[in-house]
Amino acid sequence: MKTLEEKILDNRSIRNKTILSFSFFILFLIACFAGWNWLQNQPNDQGALKPLRTVLNANEKIFSAILSNDHLAKTYPLSAAAVRVRKNGDAGLKGDFDPDAWKLQLIRKPGDTLFIGLEEIRSLPRTEIVFDFKCIEGWSQVTHWAGVKFTDFTKRYGLDEQTLKKYTGLHTPDDQYYVGIDNKSMLHPQTILCYEMNGKPLPLNQGAPLRLIIPVKYGVKHLKRIGTIYFSDHRPPDYWYERGYDYFGGL
Ligand SMILES: Nc1nc2c(c(=O)[nH]1)N[C@H]1C(S)=C(S)[C@@H](COP(=O)(O)O)O[C@H]1N2
Ligand SMILES: [Mo]
């Protein structure tokens, strides 16, 4: 049996332990500082420091693998939809714009561009969705939208070959806001080219005459006022990606 005396440390070993702990603490601080310094000196990759961008891209691989057409975003009854819908972001919505003169520019291939009017888009099968719209700024709101499923649109305009490419790019008519979206997400059954909110034509600041509604993505990707749609195997330019956000923007 140990005696009490054996457990009590003498002053000398207490001092040694204190020095040791304190040394580790200092080393830890130096490592934190060096790590932070290293990170700050890394090259910039599209608005994000390179190591952070690497982590964002790795997340994208994981989340795009999980994405599936059988996994639907949660939907809500009509009664749950907000009457006063939040407006956020007006890049590409400034300046003069005449919605009546608008036509969607669909670039199928270089030299093969269709100009499609709203009435024609409205004549395609109509679909509605009530879902929880989520913005990366931290708010979300249950909202009600209607339009044509992107998959019905691709059927109508013969875009099978195009959607085999990796990405769809969308721009506002003035090219001031633009997004790139993986085609797996574009072809998700809840992705719609939207022309109505709460059963009425879209208000101008909410993307009239046509906007994207893509419930598997954060708000940033729901481009308002679509001017041009095109397809690419390379990541199309993306407004918030260029400002340091991740490209995928998935939920
Ligand atoms: N043209 C355009 N579309 C845009 C934006 C923008 O700045 N310009 N902002 C995005 C962001 S960050 C969000 S959260 C949603 C907001 O849509 P709402 O205004 O209908 O709520 O639009 C997205 N689409
Ligand atoms: Mo947003």
Side-chain angles (χ1 to χ4, degrees):
M1 225 184 96
K2 288 185 177 171
T3 66
L4 192 57
E5 279 82 357
E6 282 172 318
K7 282 197 207 154
I8 295 173
L9 298 170
D10 58 28
N11 277 343
R12 195 186 145 88
S13 57
I14 288 176
R15 205 189 62 212
N16 286 347
K17 276 180 185 288
T18 306
I19 290 171
L20 193 68
S21 315
F22 197 69
S23 308
F24 272 114
F25 178 62
I26 296 288
L27 279 177
F28 172 73
L29 284 186
I30 291 171
C32 286
F33 181 75
W36 180 249
N37 216 26
W38 172 82
L39 193 59
Q40 296 307 311
N41 287 318
Q42 292 304 299
N44 194 294
D45 183 355
Q46 302 283 341
L49 295 164
K50 201 142 192 185
L52 302 183
R53 176 62 73 199
T54 307
V55 175
L56 289 176
N57 286 341
N59 284 346
E60 166 169 350
K61 285 221 175 72
I62 297 167
F63 285 106
S64 64
I66 296 171
L67 181 74
S68 143
N69 281 355
D70 305 328
H71 293 169
L72 298 182
K74 187 174 182 217
T75 55
Y76 296 79
L78 264 181
S79 59
V83 179
R84 295 189 54 198
V85 182
R86 268 185 98 133
K87 301 162 199 74
N88 198 41
D90 62 354
L93 304 182
K94 296 165 209 153
D96 290 337
F97 175 70
D98 177 6
D100 297 326
W102 172 94
K103 284 209 185 312
L104 173 66
Q105 191 175 341
L106 173 65
I107 306 176
R108 294 200 288 192
K109 276 190 192 127
D112 175 8
T113 300
L114 298 180
F115 293 87
I116 308 166
L118 189 63
E119 280 322 302
E120 197 175 319
I121 292 169
R122 291 184 76 101
S123 73
L124 301 177
R126 184 176 185 278
T127 185
E128 292 191 30
I129 189 165
V130 180
F131 78 107
D132 197 11
F133 189 109
K134 296 188 176 78
C135 171
I136 40 175
E137 286 170 8
W139 55 268
S140 81
Q141 193 178 39
V142 175
T143 42
H144 172 208
W145 311 89
V148 55
K149 281 187 184 184
F150 191 66
T151 49
D152 285 330
F153 178 83
T154 61
K155 260 183 230 146
R156 166 66 180 80
Y157 295 104
L159 303 172
D160 287 352
E161 193 188 311
Q162 282 76 358
T163 50
L164 283 177
K165 293 189 188 281
K166 288 203 185 108
Y167 299 98
T168 294
L170 301 100
H171 284 215
T172 54
D174 64 1
D175 295 328
Q176 294 301 302
Y177 196 76
Y178 37 91
V179 298
I181 295 174
D182 53 287
N183 275 334
K184 196 171 172 186
S185 299
M186 282 307 286
L187 298 174
H188 185 273
Q190 290 174 312
T191 300
I192 66 180
L193 300 181
C194 162
Y195 44 75
E196 274 177 21
M197 187 184 82
N198 285 340
K200 296 192 198 78
L202 281 176
L204 265 182
N205 53 17
Q206 237 121 9
L210 194 70
R211 75 174 296 170
L212 185 65
I213 287 292
I214 181 160
V216 296
K217 300 285 191 197
Y218 274 108
V220 285
K221 297 284 186 179
H222 298 229
L223 182 133
K224 299 186 276 192
R225 195 186 289 176
I226 306 173
T228 311
I229 298 182
Y230 62 99
F231 306 90
S232 172
D233 267 322
H234 306 284
R235 283 178 170 180
D238 187 278
Y239 187 91
W240 283 108
Y241 174 66
E242 289 168 6
R243 285 156 182 78
Y245 285 82
D246 82 315
Y247 196 87
F248 191 62
L251 278 161

Coordinates of all heavy atoms in Angstrom, one line a residue, residues 18-49:
T18 N 5.3 22.5 -14.2 CA 4.8 23.8 -14.7 C 5.5 24.3 -15.9 O 5.0 24.8 -16.9 CB 4.9 24.8 -13.5 OG1 4.3 24.3 -12.4 CG2 4.3 26.2 -13.9
I19 N 6.9 24.2 -15.8 CA 7.7 24.6 -17.0 C 7.3 23.8 -18.2 O 7.2 24.4 -19.3 CB 9.2 24.5 -16.6 CG1 9.6 25.5 -15.6 CG2 10.1 24.7 -17.9 CD1 11.0 25.3 -15.0
L20 N 7.2 22.5 -18.1 CA 6.8 21.7 -19.2 C 5.5 22.1 -19.8 O 5.4 22.3 -21.0 CB 6.8 20.2 -18.7 CG 6.7 19.2 -19.9 CD1 8.1 19.2 -20.6 CD2 6.5 17.8 -19.3
S21 N 4.5 22.2 -19.0 CA 3.1 22.6 -19.5 C 3.2 23.9 -20.2 O 2.7 24.1 -21.3 CB 2.1 22.7 -18.4 OG 2.2 21.7 -17.5
F22 N 3.9 24.8 -19.6 CA 4.0 26.2 -20.1 C 4.7 26.2 -21.5 O 4.3 26.8 -22.4 CB 4.7 27.1 -19.2 CG 4.4 28.6 -19.5 CD1 3.2 29.1 -19.3 CD2 5.4 29.4 -20.0 CE1 2.9 30.4 -19.6 CE2 5.2 30.7 -20.3 CZ 3.9 31.2 -20.1
S23 N 5.8 25.3 -21.6 CA 6.5 25.2 -22.8 C 5.6 24.7 -23.9 O 5.6 25.2 -25.1 CB 7.7 24.2 -22.7 OG 8.5 24.6 -21.6
F24 N 4.8 23.7 -23.6 CA 3.8 23.1 -24.6 C 2.9 24.2 -25.0 O 2.5 24.3 -26.2 CB 3.1 21.9 -24.0 CG 3.8 20.6 -24.3 CD1 4.4 19.9 -23.2 CD2 4.0 20.2 -25.6 CE1 5.1 18.7 -23.4 CE2 4.7 19.0 -25.8 CZ 5.2 18.3 -24.7
F25 N 2.4 25.0 -24.1 CA 1.5 26.1 -24.4 C 2.1 27.1 -25.4 O 1.5 27.4 -26.4 CB 1.0 26.8 -23.1 CG 0.1 27.9 -23.3 CD1 -1.1 27.7 -23.9 CD2 0.5 29.2 -22.9 CE1 -2.0 28.7 -24.1 CE2 -0.4 30.3 -23.2 CZ -1.6 30.0 -23.8
I26 N 3.4 27.4 -25.1 CA 4.1 28.4 -26.0 C 4.2 27.7 -27.4 O 4.0 28.4 -28.4 CB 5.5 28.7 -25.4 CG1 5.3 29.5 -24.1 CG2 6.3 29.6 -26.4 CD1 4.8 30.9 -24.2
L27 N 4.6 26.5 -27.4 CA 4.8 25.8 -28.7 C 3.5 25.8 -29.5 O 3.5 26.0 -30.7 CB 5.3 24.3 -28.5 CG 6.8 24.2 -28.3 CD1 7.1 22.7 -28.0 CD2 7.6 24.7 -29.5
F28 N 2.4 25.5 -28.8 CA 1.1 25.5 -29.4 C 0.7 26.8 -30.0 O 0.3 26.9 -31.1 CB 0.0 25.1 -28.3 CG -1.4 25.2 -28.8 CD1 -1.9 24.2 -29.7 CD2 -2.2 26.2 -28.3 CE1 -3.2 24.3 -30.1 CE2 -3.5 26.3 -28.7 CZ -4.0 25.4 -29.6
L29 N 1.0 27.9 -29.2 CA 0.8 29.2 -29.8 C 1.6 29.5 -31.0 O 1.1 30.0 -32.0 CB 1.1 30.3 -28.7 CG 0.1 30.5 -27.5 CD1 0.5 31.7 -26.7 CD2 -1.3 30.7 -28.1
I30 N 2.9 29.1 -31.0 CA 3.7 29.3 -32.1 C 3.2 28.5 -33.3 O 3.1 29.1 -34.4 CB 5.2 28.8 -31.8 CG1 5.8 29.8 -30.8 CG2 6.0 28.8 -33.1 CD1 7.2 29.4 -30.3
A31 N 2.7 27.3 -33.1 CA 2.2 26.5 -34.2 C 0.9 27.1 -34.8 O 0.8 27.2 -36.0 CB 1.9 25.1 -33.7
C32 N 0.1 27.6 -33.9 CA -1.2 28.3 -34.4 C -0.8 29.5 -35.2 O -1.3 29.7 -36.3 CB -2.0 28.8 -33.2 SG -2.9 27.6 -32.3
F33 N 0.2 30.3 -34.7 CA 0.6 31.5 -35.4 C 1.2 31.1 -36.8 O 0.8 31.7 -37.8 CB 1.6 32.3 -34.6 CG 2.0 33.6 -35.2 CD1 1.1 34.7 -35.3 CD2 3.3 33.7 -35.8 CE1 1.5 35.8 -35.9 CE2 3.7 34.8 -36.4 CZ 2.8 35.9 -36.5
A34 N 2.1 30.1 -36.8 CA 2.7 29.7 -38.0 C 1.7 29.2 -39.0 O 1.8 29.5 -40.2 CB 3.8 28.7 -37.7
G35 N 0.8 28.4 -38.5 CA -0.3 27.8 -39.4 C -1.1 29.0 -40.0 O -1.4 29.0 -41.2
W36 N -1.5 29.9 -39.2 CA -2.3 31.0 -39.6 C -1.5 31.8 -40.7 O -2.0 32.2 -41.8 CB -2.7 31.9 -38.5 CG -3.5 33.1 -38.8 CD1 -3.2 34.4 -38.8 CD2 -4.9 33.1 -39.3 NE1 -4.2 35.2 -39.2 CE2 -5.3 34.4 -39.5 CE3 -5.8 32.0 -39.5 CZ2 -6.5 34.7 -40.0 CZ3 -7.1 32.4 -40.0 CH2 -7.4 33.7 -40.2
N37 N -0.3 32.1 -40.4 CA 0.6 32.8 -41.3 C 0.8 32.1 -42.6 O 0.7 32.7 -43.7 CB 2.0 32.9 -40.6 CG 2.6 34.3 -40.9 OD1 1.9 35.2 -41.2 ND2 3.9 34.3 -40.8
W38 N 1.0 30.8 -42.5 CA 1.1 30.0 -43.7 C -0.1 30.1 -44.6 O -0.1 30.3 -45.8 CB 1.4 28.5 -43.3 CG 1.3 27.5 -44.4 CD1 2.4 27.3 -45.3 CD2 0.2 26.7 -44.9 NE1 2.0 26.3 -46.2 CE2 0.7 26.0 -46.0 CE3 -1.1 26.6 -44.4 CZ2 -0.2 25.1 -46.7 CZ3 -1.9 25.7 -45.1 CH2 -1.5 25.0 -46.2
L39 N -1.3 30.0 -43.9 CA -2.6 30.0 -44.6 C -2.7 31.4 -45.3 O -3.1 31.4 -46.5 CB -3.7 29.8 -43.6 CG -5.1 29.5 -44.2 CD1 -5.1 28.3 -45.1 CD2 -6.1 29.3 -43.1
Q40 N -2.4 32.4 -44.6 CA -2.6 33.8 -45.2 C -1.6 34.0 -46.4 O -1.9 34.8 -47.3 CB -2.2 34.9 -44.2 CG -3.2 34.9 -43.0 CD -4.7 34.9 -43.4 OE1 -5.0 35.8 -44.2 NE2 -5.5 34.1 -42.9
N41 N -0.5 33.2 -46.4 CA 0.4 33.4 -47.5 C 0.2 32.5 -48.7 O 0.9 32.5 -49.7 CB 1.9 33.3 -47.0 CG 2.2 34.5 -46.2 OD1 2.0 35.6 -46.6 ND2 2.9 34.2 -45.1
Q42 N -0.9 31.7 -48.6 CA -1.2 30.8 -49.7 C -1.8 31.5 -50.8 O -2.4 32.6 -50.6 CB -2.2 29.7 -49.2 CG -1.6 28.7 -48.2 CD -0.3 28.0 -48.8 OE1 -0.4 27.4 -49.8 NE2 0.8 28.3 -48.1
P43 N -1.6 31.0 -52.1 CA -2.2 31.7 -53.2 C -3.7 31.7 -53.1 O -4.3 30.9 -52.4 CB -1.7 30.9 -54.4 CG -1.2 29.6 -53.9 CD -0.9 29.9 -52.4
N44 N -4.3 32.7 -53.8 CA -5.8 32.8 -53.8 C -6.3 32.0 -55.0 O -5.8 32.1 -56.1 CB -6.1 34.3 -54.0 CG -7.5 34.6 -53.7 OD1 -8.4 34.2 -54.5 ND2 -7.7 35.3 -52.7
D45 N -7.4 31.3 -54.8 CA -8.0 30.5 -55.8 C -9.5 31.0 -55.9 O -10.3 30.6 -55.1 CB -7.9 29.0 -55.6 CG -8.5 28.1 -56.7 OD1 -9.0 28.7 -57.6 OD2 -8.4 26.9 -56.6
Q46 N -9.8 31.8 -56.9 CA -11.2 32.3 -57.0 C -11.8 32.8 -55.8 O -12.8 32.4 -55.3 CB -12.1 31.1 -57.6 CG -11.6 30.5 -58.8 CD -12.0 31.4 -60.1 OE1 -12.8 32.3 -60.0 NE2 -11.3 31.1 -61.1
G47 N -11.0 33.8 -55.2 CA -11.6 34.5 -54.0 C -11.4 33.7 -52.7 O -11.7 34.3 -51.6
A48 N -10.9 32.5 -52.7 CA -10.7 31.8 -51.5 C -9.2 31.3 -51.4 O -8.6 31.1 -52.5 CB -11.6 30.5 -51.4
L49 N -8.7 31.2 -50.2 CA -7.3 30.8 -50.1 C -7.2 29.3 -50.6 O -8.1 28.5 -50.3 CB -6.8 30.9 -48.6 CG -6.7 32.4 -48.2 CD1 -6.6 32.4 -46.7 CD2 -5.6 33.1 -48.8

